[in-house]
Structure formats: structure tokens, C-alpha cells
Amino acid sequence: MKSFTQKLALTTALVSSIALGAVSAQAEPTAEVLHYWTSGSEAKAVKALKEDFEANGGKWVDAPVAGGGGDAQAAVLRSRVLSGNPPAAVQIKGLSIQEWAEAGALGDLTKLGEEEGWDDVLPPLLQKIVKHDGKYVAVPVNIHRVDWIWANPKSLAKVDGEPPRTWDEFNALADKLQAAGITPLAHGGQPWQDGTVFETVVLGMGGAEFFNKAFIEKDMATIKSDTMKKVFDQMRKMRGYVDDDFSGRDWNLATSMVMRGEAAMQIMGDWAKGEFLAAGKVPGKDFLCVPTPSNGGYILNSDSFAMFNVSSEDDKAGQALLARLILGEKFQETFNLYKGSIPARMGVPTEKFDECAVKSMNDLQSASESGALVGSMAHEIAASGAIRGAILDVVTEHFNSDMTSDVAVERLAEAIELAE
Ligand code: BGC
């Protein structure tokens, strides 16, 4: 015989399952969206997604975690998943998508992808990032290029300077600027920003094959090579080109320094362009976008939303709606115009995109044809979280100390070996 409380529990379960059934018939698409887009331009871009979602009947629960590059957000995500309460949609990318999928934390969007024809509109390169075991587990929002110099033309003009095409030219220009009392490099001393500068130098001095051997194959001879020592020599020079207050500075504040002429250049992905545009600045006139010296290379970063396992019908409906909208042609245009990136979806009209975006599109094409296209290490496309973390630790320690390049490559090798 069942006790009263057992019976009560059964009845409650029955009632709530009936209630859930009733809700599922007319689910209210809901999505808690965890992201780290909190700068001016990023907030505008994410607002465009929120408005699109709401206009299509969705209920958006905003969960922003400030902190460029997403390291702070990654910690929040881990604790939410561990406590069994993941957000419905999360801005993650690259190998992190694969790791969460491997852990069984992501939902399967394959059926939706088939209905929407994603295989036909997404470049194979991005399909590889957002599919796990052949199944769609995330949707890409954009393609960001990492290897850019953002320059203030007025600052360059003060020293009759031209945008540099080699690292020697970069150093010569920076020396001239410094001699004229202008801070050459606007930089924020945070590990992911140090790593961003570092990877552009690795590509520039070593080339694509060297980059991949170091970060993907983790080839020790490459990591300890003379070329890698030269990369650290260049990082030491960079340290001399930043102002005294660089430590801990957010990336968008460094971008503002270039806008205001307080520094001449910033090495940063094209999310920085979003900030220039949000401030009403015009490319080619108020600011210049020049690839970091690399002989036709391209470092690719791509933001995606992964859909975590959720049980309520509202959340599932919210995930499907969000995923569908993200890959829509109109949204891809609107979002990427704010964000500074280029569309993930093929065939989006390019008329509204500025010269920097068009350059990114063309250079992506030619780099992919010539084999000079690489995935970003600092932004988790080429390296897993553990390897990236190990590399950034050494790069940051080197940048903030008087560590020699010989010691730095030894430390890098050790750190990568330990992280494997
Ligand atoms: C992301 C961008 C973001 C930037 C600054 C990058 O890793 O891909 O979307 O704007 O970090 O937070």
C-alpha cells in the first residue's frame, strides 16, 4: 500500500506532466543567452539579435559576463554546467565547442540544420567548427580576422610614417613615433590580448606552416626554434612600445586611445573596428586597417552560439528559434555590420560592408587558396583551452618580466607538454 506522501508525490508528478504537456503545445520560445559582448559595439550587435528574437515571439534572458576574450565567461559557464543548470545558448567557439560536445553537454541541431539547408550556406571551414561527429551542435555568427593593425593616420603623418609591411618596418615606425613623443602601441595587458599580439608575430615571422606546427602539432623543435626566439625578441620590443598604464587595460579602452590619437596603433581583431564605427569614425579617413606583416596570411576567429542541453519545451523552442535567426541572411548582415566582422553565411550581400570588411573577405579567400589561412590560437580556434592557457601564461609572464627569449621558449615547451 502506498503512503499518503507517496500518493501525493505521484499525483503532483502527474499534474505537472499534464501541465508541461499543455505548455509544450504552445511553447513560449525562451532563451537565456550567456555572452561576453559588453563593449559599446558588441552591445549594439547583440541587441540586434535580441530584437530579432523578440520580434519573432522569443523571450530573451540576457546573461552578459564582462571580460574581453571570454575567459571570465568560461568560468561562469563551467560552474553553471556543473551545477546542472546550463544556459540555453552560449557564445563559445572552436575547440571549446568540440570539448563541450565531447562531454555530452550540447543539444543536436542537425534536424533543424537540414530543414534550413545549412550545409549549402555555410563554408566547409565553419561547418567543421560547429559540427561534432557530423552533427550540428552550434551555429556560427561571424568571421573575425585577428591579424590587424588599427592605426591613427594623423599620428602616422606626424612622423611621415607609412603603415608597416614587415616587422622591421613596424619597429622603425614605432621608434620614430616614440622619438616624437607618441605612444606607438595601444595595448591592454591581459593574457588574451598579449596572446593576440603574440600570434600575429608568430604568423608574421614563421608563416602558416610554422604557426600550425607550433600550436596544432605542438612540435617541440618548432617551439624551441630560433624563429620562436625571434618572436619573443619582437614581443620584448613591443613591450617597449606600450605606455606605462597598459597593465589590465580593456581592449576597447586601448582602441579609444588610437581614436583619440593618444597612441598610434593597436594590434587587435576586427571587433576593434566595431568600436571605431560605433564612435562614428570612418575607415580610410579617421582610422586605417592594415594586416599585420605576414606575407598574405590570415588568422581566423569565429564566434558561435552552442545550444546546451535543456529540458523545458520553452527552452528547446527558444534554441531552435535563435539558431534559425542567427543564420538568416538579414541578421548576418545587420549583426556583422555592428560587430566589425564578416558574415559566416555565404551569399550575404556585401554592398553595405566597408573597405576593411571587403579586404577581410578577399584576403580570406586568397589566404585559403595559398595555404596561409590559420585558425587563431589566442581565440581558441586552433588550440584547446588547456593549450591556449599554457601558452598565454608564458607569453604574459615574458611580457611582464625581463625573461630572455631563450628561457621563454624553454618555458613554452614545458608548459605545452604539461598541458597535453
Ligand atoms: C571574440 C569577439 C569579442 C572579442 C573581445 C573575441 O575572442 O571572438 O567576439 O568581441 O573577443 O571580447
Short mmCIF file of all heavy atoms in Angstrom, two decimals, residues 150-180:
data_model
loop_
_atom_site.label_atom_id
_atom_site.label_comp_id
_atom_site.label_asym_id
_atom_site.label_seq_id
_atom_site.Cartn_x
_atom_site.Cartn_y
_atom_site.Cartn_z
N TRP A 150 45.31 48.55 -36.27
CA TRP A 150 44.38 49.70 -36.38
C TRP A 150 45.22 50.94 -36.13
O TRP A 150 45.84 51.07 -35.06
CB TRP A 150 43.24 49.57 -35.36
CG TRP A 150 42.57 48.25 -35.56
CD1 TRP A 150 42.82 47.10 -34.89
CD2 TRP A 150 41.63 47.92 -36.59
NE1 TRP A 150 42.08 46.07 -35.44
CE2 TRP A 150 41.34 46.56 -36.48
CE3 TRP A 150 40.99 48.66 -37.60
CZ2 TRP A 150 40.45 45.90 -37.32
CZ3 TRP A 150 40.09 48.01 -38.44
CH2 TRP A 150 39.83 46.65 -38.30
N ALA A 151 45.28 51.83 -37.10
CA ALA A 151 46.21 52.96 -36.96
C ALA A 151 45.49 54.28 -37.09
O ALA A 151 44.49 54.41 -37.81
CB ALA A 151 47.30 52.85 -38.02
N ASN A 152 46.01 55.27 -36.38
CA ASN A 152 45.51 56.63 -36.49
C ASN A 152 46.35 57.35 -37.56
O ASN A 152 47.55 57.57 -37.36
CB ASN A 152 45.64 57.33 -35.14
CG ASN A 152 45.07 58.73 -35.18
OD1 ASN A 152 45.28 59.46 -36.14
ND2 ASN A 152 44.34 59.10 -34.14
N PRO A 153 45.74 57.70 -38.71
CA PRO A 153 46.54 58.28 -39.80
C PRO A 153 47.20 59.60 -39.43
O PRO A 153 48.30 59.90 -39.92
CB PRO A 153 45.52 58.48 -40.93
CG PRO A 153 44.18 58.28 -40.34
CD PRO A 153 44.32 57.55 -39.04
N LYS A 154 46.55 60.36 -38.53
CA LYS A 154 47.15 61.65 -38.14
C LYS A 154 48.44 61.42 -37.35
O LYS A 154 49.42 62.13 -37.52
CB LYS A 154 46.17 62.47 -37.29
CG LYS A 154 45.03 63.01 -38.10
CD LYS A 154 44.33 64.15 -37.35
CE LYS A 154 43.04 64.53 -38.04
NZ LYS A 154 41.84 64.05 -37.35
N SER A 155 48.42 60.40 -36.49
CA SER A 155 49.64 60.10 -35.71
C SER A 155 50.76 59.67 -36.65
O SER A 155 51.91 60.07 -36.49
CB SER A 155 49.39 59.00 -34.69
OG SER A 155 48.28 59.32 -33.90
N LEU A 156 50.41 58.81 -37.63
CA LEU A 156 51.45 58.37 -38.57
C LEU A 156 51.99 59.55 -39.36
O LEU A 156 53.21 59.68 -39.58
CB LEU A 156 50.90 57.31 -39.54
CG LEU A 156 50.38 55.99 -38.97
CD1 LEU A 156 50.28 54.94 -40.08
CD2 LEU A 156 51.25 55.44 -37.85
N ALA A 157 51.09 60.45 -39.77
CA ALA A 157 51.50 61.60 -40.59
C ALA A 157 52.50 62.48 -39.82
O ALA A 157 53.38 63.08 -40.43
CB ALA A 157 50.28 62.40 -41.01
N LYS A 158 52.34 62.55 -38.51
CA LYS A 158 53.24 63.39 -37.72
C LYS A 158 54.71 62.98 -37.87
O LYS A 158 55.61 63.78 -37.65
CB LYS A 158 52.85 63.33 -36.24
CG LYS A 158 51.65 64.19 -35.93
CD LYS A 158 51.39 64.28 -34.44
CE LYS A 158 50.08 65.02 -34.22
NZ LYS A 158 49.39 64.60 -33.02
N VAL A 159 54.94 61.71 -38.20
CA VAL A 159 56.33 61.27 -38.38
C VAL A 159 56.58 60.83 -39.84
O VAL A 159 57.52 60.09 -40.12
CB VAL A 159 56.70 60.12 -37.41
CG1 VAL A 159 56.63 60.57 -35.98
CG2 VAL A 159 55.81 58.88 -37.63
N ASP A 160 55.68 61.29 -40.72
CA ASP A 160 55.77 60.88 -42.13
C ASP A 160 55.78 59.37 -42.27
O ASP A 160 56.49 58.82 -43.13
CB ASP A 160 57.07 61.43 -42.77
CG ASP A 160 56.84 62.81 -43.33
OD1 ASP A 160 55.67 63.10 -43.64
OD2 ASP A 160 57.81 63.59 -43.41
N GLY A 161 55.02 58.71 -41.44
CA GLY A 161 55.07 57.24 -41.40
C GLY A 161 54.05 56.59 -42.33
O GLY A 161 52.97 57.12 -42.56
N GLU A 162 54.41 55.44 -42.84
CA GLU A 162 53.53 54.62 -43.68
C GLU A 162 53.17 53.36 -42.90
O GLU A 162 53.99 52.90 -42.09
CB GLU A 162 54.27 54.17 -44.95
CG GLU A 162 54.57 55.27 -45.95
CD GLU A 162 53.30 55.76 -46.63
OE1 GLU A 162 52.42 54.92 -46.90
OE2 GLU A 162 53.19 56.99 -46.87
N PRO A 163 51.99 52.77 -43.14
CA PRO A 163 51.68 51.50 -42.49
C PRO A 163 52.76 50.45 -42.79
O PRO A 163 53.17 50.33 -43.95
CB PRO A 163 50.34 51.09 -43.09
CG PRO A 163 49.75 52.36 -43.61
CD PRO A 163 50.90 53.24 -44.00
N PRO A 164 53.24 49.74 -41.79
CA PRO A 164 54.36 48.81 -41.99
C PRO A 164 53.98 47.54 -42.75
O PRO A 164 52.90 47.00 -42.55
CB PRO A 164 54.77 48.45 -40.56
CG PRO A 164 53.55 48.68 -39.74
CD PRO A 164 52.77 49.77 -40.41
N ARG A 165 54.91 47.06 -43.60
CA ARG A 165 54.67 45.79 -44.32
C ARG A 165 55.53 44.65 -43.79
O ARG A 165 55.33 43.50 -44.14
CB ARG A 165 54.93 45.98 -45.82
CG ARG A 165 53.80 46.72 -46.54
CD ARG A 165 54.32 47.37 -47.78
NE ARG A 165 55.49 48.18 -47.41
CZ ARG A 165 56.28 48.81 -48.29
NH1 ARG A 165 56.05 48.72 -49.55
NH2 ARG A 165 57.32 49.52 -47.87
N THR A 166 56.53 45.02 -42.98
CA THR A 166 57.36 43.98 -42.37
C THR A 166 57.50 44.35 -40.89
O THR A 166 57.22 45.48 -40.49
CB THR A 166 58.77 43.96 -42.98
OG1 THR A 166 59.40 45.22 -42.67
CG2 THR A 166 58.75 43.77 -44.48
N TRP A 167 57.99 43.39 -40.09
CA TRP A 167 58.16 43.71 -38.67
C TRP A 167 59.30 44.70 -38.48
O TRP A 167 59.28 45.49 -37.54
CB TRP A 167 58.33 42.44 -37.84
CG TRP A 167 57.01 41.72 -37.74
CD1 TRP A 167 56.62 40.63 -38.45
CD2 TRP A 167 55.87 42.10 -36.94
NE1 TRP A 167 55.32 40.29 -38.14
CE2 TRP A 167 54.84 41.17 -37.22
CE3 TRP A 167 55.62 43.12 -36.03
CZ2 TRP A 167 53.58 41.24 -36.62
CZ3 TRP A 167 54.36 43.19 -35.42
CH2 TRP A 167 53.36 42.27 -35.71
N ASP A 168 60.29 44.67 -39.38
CA ASP A 168 61.36 45.68 -39.29
C ASP A 168 60.79 47.07 -39.53
O ASP A 168 61.13 48.02 -38.82
CB ASP A 168 62.47 45.39 -40.32
CG ASP A 168 63.36 44.24 -39.84
OD1 ASP A 168 63.31 43.93 -38.63
OD2 ASP A 168 64.07 43.65 -40.67
N GLU A 169 59.90 47.16 -40.52
CA GLU A 169 59.26 48.46 -40.78
C GLU A 169 58.39 48.87 -39.58
O GLU A 169 58.33 50.05 -39.23
CB GLU A 169 58.38 48.38 -42.04
CG GLU A 169 59.16 48.43 -43.33
CD GLU A 169 58.26 48.45 -44.58
OE1 GLU A 169 57.04 48.73 -44.48
OE2 GLU A 169 58.81 48.17 -45.66
N PHE A 170 57.75 47.89 -38.99
CA PHE A 170 56.92 48.18 -37.80
C PHE A 170 57.80 48.80 -36.71
O PHE A 170 57.46 49.83 -36.12
CB PHE A 170 56.26 46.89 -37.29
CG PHE A 170 55.40 47.10 -36.07
CD1 PHE A 170 54.03 47.33 -36.20
CD2 PHE A 170 55.94 47.07 -34.79
CE1 PHE A 170 53.23 47.55 -35.08
CE2 PHE A 170 55.15 47.29 -33.67
CZ PHE A 170 53.80 47.52 -33.81
N ASN A 171 58.96 48.17 -36.48
CA ASN A 171 59.85 48.66 -35.42
C ASN A 171 60.41 50.04 -35.76
O ASN A 171 60.49 50.92 -34.89
CB ASN A 171 60.99 47.67 -35.18
CG ASN A 171 60.47 46.34 -34.65
OD1 ASN A 171 59.37 46.26 -34.10
ND2 ASN A 171 61.25 45.28 -34.83
N ALA A 172 60.76 50.23 -37.04
CA ALA A 172 61.32 51.53 -37.44
C ALA A 172 60.27 52.63 -37.24
O ALA A 172 60.58 53.72 -36.72
CB ALA A 172 61.77 51.47 -38.90
N LEU A 173 59.04 52.32 -37.62
CA LEU A 173 57.95 53.30 -37.45
C LEU A 173 57.72 53.58 -35.96
O LEU A 173 57.59 54.73 -35.53
CB LEU A 173 56.67 52.76 -38.10
CG LEU A 173 55.39 53.55 -37.88
CD1 LEU A 173 55.49 54.93 -38.52
CD2 LEU A 173 54.17 52.81 -38.46
N ALA A 174 57.67 52.50 -35.18
CA ALA A 174 57.42 52.65 -33.73
C ALA A 174 58.53 53.48 -33.08
O ALA A 174 58.27 54.34 -32.24
CB ALA A 174 57.32 51.28 -33.08
N ASP A 175 59.77 53.26 -33.51
CA ASP A 175 60.89 54.05 -32.95
C ASP A 175 60.72 55.53 -33.27
O ASP A 175 60.94 56.40 -32.42
CB ASP A 175 62.23 53.54 -33.52
CG ASP A 175 62.60 52.16 -32.96
OD1 ASP A 175 62.07 51.78 -31.91
OD2 ASP A 175 63.43 51.46 -33.61
N LYS A 176 60.31 55.80 -34.52
CA LYS A 176 60.12 57.20 -34.94
C LYS A 176 59.00 57.85 -34.11
O LYS A 176 59.12 59.00 -33.67
CB LYS A 176 59.71 57.23 -36.41
CG LYS A 176 60.85 57.42 -37.37
CD LYS A 176 60.29 58.11 -38.59
CE LYS A 176 60.47 57.63 -39.90
NZ LYS A 176 59.71 58.03 -40.99
N LEU A 177 57.91 57.11 -33.95
CA LEU A 177 56.78 57.64 -33.18
C LEU A 177 57.21 57.95 -31.75
O LEU A 177 56.91 59.02 -31.21
CB LEU A 177 55.62 56.62 -33.17
CG LEU A 177 54.85 56.46 -34.49
CD1 LEU A 177 54.09 55.14 -34.51
CD2 LEU A 177 53.88 57.62 -34.69
N GLN A 178 57.93 56.98 -31.20
CA GLN A 178 58.37 57.15 -29.81
C GLN A 178 59.27 58.38 -29.67
O GLN A 178 59.12 59.17 -28.73
CB GLN A 178 59.11 55.90 -29.36
CG GLN A 178 58.96 55.63 -27.89
CD GLN A 178 59.20 54.16 -27.57
OE1 GLN A 178 60.06 53.52 -28.19
NE2 GLN A 178 58.48 53.64 -26.60
N ALA A 179 60.17 58.54 -30.65
CA ALA A 179 61.08 59.69 -30.61
C ALA A 179 60.29 60.99 -30.70
O ALA A 179 60.71 62.03 -30.17
CB ALA A 179 62.08 59.59 -31.76
N ALA A 180 59.10 60.93 -31.34
CA ALA A 180 58.28 62.14 -31.47
C ALA A 180 57.32 62.29 -30.28
O ALA A 180 56.41 63.13 -30.30
CB ALA A 180 57.50 62.08 -32.77
#
